[in-house]
Amino acid sequence: MDGGTEMSEHGDTLLTTRDERQELIEPLLTPISTPIQGEMADESLASSVSTAFSGSSGHDDGSPDLVFISADKVSFHTHYARVCNASSNNFNFLLPNSPEALTETGVFQLAEEAAVLNVIFHCIYKLPFEIYDPALSTLLSVVVALQKYGLSLQQYLIIGTPLYQQMSLKTASSPIDVYTVAASNDLFDLASVASSYLLSYPVDELSDEVSITMGPVYLRRLFSLHTQRLKALRALMASPPVEHPSTPACGEVEKKRLPRSWSLFCTSIAFYATPDMSSVKLRSVLETLGELMLCDVCKQSLLDRVQELVVQWSAIPMTILRDPLGYRAGT
């Protein structure tokens, strides 16, 4: 055989030159995150077409001139102008600076799954996507992909956007992940939503990796949320129920029972309290003091103070503040 090839004993051609072997295996080594077949991919690689972004979706004037194929082989038909105008890096440097550089409809293979790309293109086209009910894990992957493709989180993940709404609704399933992502990108409003679900989270057990990803500012805000709520609770409980004037049934000695019992109860509560203590639980614990009171006036004084305390405790912020010094008892 010419060119250094040989025949096997079965009559098959053996590739013995380095160039021939390289030509055979090179497509297998091409990273999926970059376009294949040079700059362009083959649309036949797709096994299905996105219903929201098909060739006839009609989201913009003119026919789609860009096709993106997801890792799970779903094609998305989009418009060069729309995608490039939204991206600060030509969609992770996949697209040329002008549509004229595309000889035909551009077809590009991407590394993301269809569920992720579906949300991304809905964001770019400013379309709602709640009908798809994406999982939180998908939305977190969307945040990573938005940055990869040069799409501003300050535009697509702020209050009022579909992505913000969906992430807020699903934050409860993994608030620490949402908080970490929001913190690392200085998305205060989303971080604030997530922090309300972290009142019972053991912040002292945060890993170094997560703490570093959050950054010092948001890590401090989360710790302050916990410590300042407990500090505020202790300050609120420091004021006992008001003593009533002495009566024949409840004199100077008897009426001291209420403030002493209050002090003991509150000391115990302060020791075991957690930042997520509910107003209902606080009320139920303190109102049991009434069982120790023989005086009806003392009992009413207790109920009045518990009601006041519950209202004050409800007013203590349950989310992070931009300024952690903003946690003040009774404000």
Side-chain angles (χ1 to χ4, degrees):
M1 299 288 291
D2 295 335
T5 57
E6 298 177 358
M7 298 292 293
S8 73
E9 62 180 349
H10 300 293
D12 300 320
T13 301
L14 298 178
L15 302 178
T16 59
T17 67
R18 179 171 180 173
D19 288 344
E20 287 175 320
R21 291 194 298 271
Q22 182 68 21
E23 183 178 353
L24 178 65
I25 67 173
E26 195 171 45
L28 303 178
L29 301 177
T30 303
I32 195 170
S33 60
T34 58
I36 61 176
Q37 297 185 12
E39 291 187 350
M40 309 292 283
D42 187 343
E43 191 173 353
S44 64
L45 290 173
S47 58
S48 60
V49 180
S50 164
T51 55
F53 296 95
S54 63
S56 58
S57 299
H59 295 310
D60 276 347
D61 294 334
S63 300
D65 51 5
L66 279 180
V67 177
F68 294 102
I69 302 176
S70 67
D72 47 350
K73 300 182 179 181
V74 177
S75 64
F76 294 80
H77 296 248
T78 65
H79 300 80
Y80 174 92
R82 174 77 76 159
V83 174
C84 266
N85 287 340
S87 173
S88 63
N89 65 3
N90 282 26
F91 217 66
N92 196 29
F93 310 103
L94 291 178
L95 305 180
N97 290 327
S98 66
E100 288 75 16
L102 297 172
T103 55
E104 298 177 355
T105 298
V107 182
F108 297 91
Q109 174 101 39
L110 301 181
E112 289 74 22
E113 299 285 324
V116 173
L117 294 181
N118 185 53
V119 174
I120 290 175
F121 291 123
H122 274 79
C123 289
I124 291 175
Y125 281 82
K126 297 181 172 58
L127 300 172
F129 55 85
E130 65 272 9
I131 187 174
Y132 301 100
D133 193 26
L136 179 60
S137 58
T138 296
L139 298 176
L140 291 171
S141 297
V142 167
V143 175
V144 175
L146 286 174
Q147 297 173 91
K148 170 183 174 182
Y149 293 115
L151 303 167
S152 172
L153 297 183
Q154 302 300 331
Q155 178 178 352
Y156 297 109
L157 191 47
I158 58 174
I159 292 178
T161 62
L163 182 56
Y164 178 92
Q165 181 182 25
Q166 286 297 302
M167 290 199 73
S168 297
L169 290 174
K170 294 178 169 64
T171 291
S173 62
S174 186
I176 191 62
D177 289 332
V178 175
Y179 186 86
T180 302
V181 166
S184 64
N185 293 287
D186 193 21
L187 299 169
F188 179 83
D189 294 315
L190 184 59
S192 180
V193 171
S195 69
S196 67
Y197 295 99
L198 293 173
L199 293 176
S200 61
Y201 191 88
V203 292
D204 55 337
E205 297 179 11
L206 283 171
S207 67
D208 291 343
E209 180 182 0
V210 171
S211 299
I212 292 171
T213 302
M214 283 184 188
V217 173
Y218 281 86
L219 182 62
R220 175 173 176 259
R221 285 171 174 165
L222 185 57
F223 269 90
S224 293
L225 171 61
H226 282 231
T227 58
Q228 295 300 326
R229 275 182 62 82
L230 293 176
K231 182 179 178 180
L233 179 59
R234 289 193 295 269
L236 291 173
M237 294 189 301
S239 301
V242 176
E243 288 187 22
H244 62 79
S246 297
T247 66
C250 188
E252 290 296 326
V253 176
E254 291 81 5
K255 70 180 183 179
K256 295 297 183 183
R257 181 180 297 155
L258 176 56
R260 284 198 302 267
S261 299
W262 176 274
S263 179
L264 289 172
F265 263 60
C266 290
T267 299
S268 179
I269 291 173
F271 183 80
Y272 292 105
T274 55
D276 64 330
M277 173 171 274
S278 69
S279 297
V280 173
K281 182 177 180 179
L282 184 61
R283 181 192 295 276
S284 66
V285 171
L286 288 174
E287 285 186 349
T288 58
L289 271 173
E291 299 172 5
L292 304 177
M293 302 296 111
L294 301 177
C295 172
D296 290 338
V297 181
C298 287
K299 289 181 181 180
Q300 187 58 52
S301 178
L302 170 65
L303 294 176
D304 292 342
R305 179 66 188 101
V306 171
Q307 175 60 28
E308 180 184 34
L309 176 58
V310 166
V311 172
Q312 292 171 327
W313 178 236
S314 300
I316 301 300
M318 299 179 67
T319 64
I320 59 170
L321 300 179
R322 294 186 185 275
D323 177 14
L325 296 179
Y327 297 93
R328 294 192 299 274
T331 61

